[in-house]
Amino acid sequence: MALQPFLALAAILFGIGLFGALTKRNLIIVLISIEMMLNAANINLVAFSHFLSKPNIDGQVYALFTIAIAAAEVAVGLAILLSFFRHRETSDVRDMNSMKW
């Protein structure tokens, strides 16, 4: 396979994730959309590592770091969501304009 199908897939995933992150109001959907954008970046990292340089694992290593950062981001985001939901009983992003309870 060539490089272009991987880049096209990553662009489509990134576009869908960006659309979801900018237009949805539910924080869980926003977090899923951000994860989709990070996965698109991972596809690009691995594809460029495989196709554009001598065989090495640099892209895979960077992808693993991105996966670890994404897991931490989801954990922090869900902790904030649970705390917010306990106090205000909503997960709407529009209501999260301040951290005052």
Side-chain angles (χ1 to χ4, degrees), residues 4-41:
Q4 288 80 14
F6 293 106
L7 296 180
L9 174 65
I12 291 168
L13 282 177
F14 192 85
I16 292 170
L18 185 64
F19 176 77
L22 293 178
T23 60
K24 301 300 178 186
R25 294 182 180 154
N26 190 341
L27 185 61
I28 295 174
I29 301 299
V30 172
L31 288 173
I32 290 171
S33 299
I34 292 171
E35 290 294 319
M36 193 176 298
M37 293 184 332
L38 288 172
N39 285 330

Side-chain angles (χ1 to χ4, degrees), residues 45-77:
L45 287 170
V46 173
F48 281 126
S49 173
H50 178 71
F51 285 105
L52 295 183
S53 64
K54 62 184 186 297
N56 58 18
I57 61 168
D58 290 344
Q60 288 85 351
V61 171
Y62 290 137
L64 284 175
F65 283 128
T66 307
I67 290 169
I69 290 169
E73 172 255 331
V74 167
V76 171

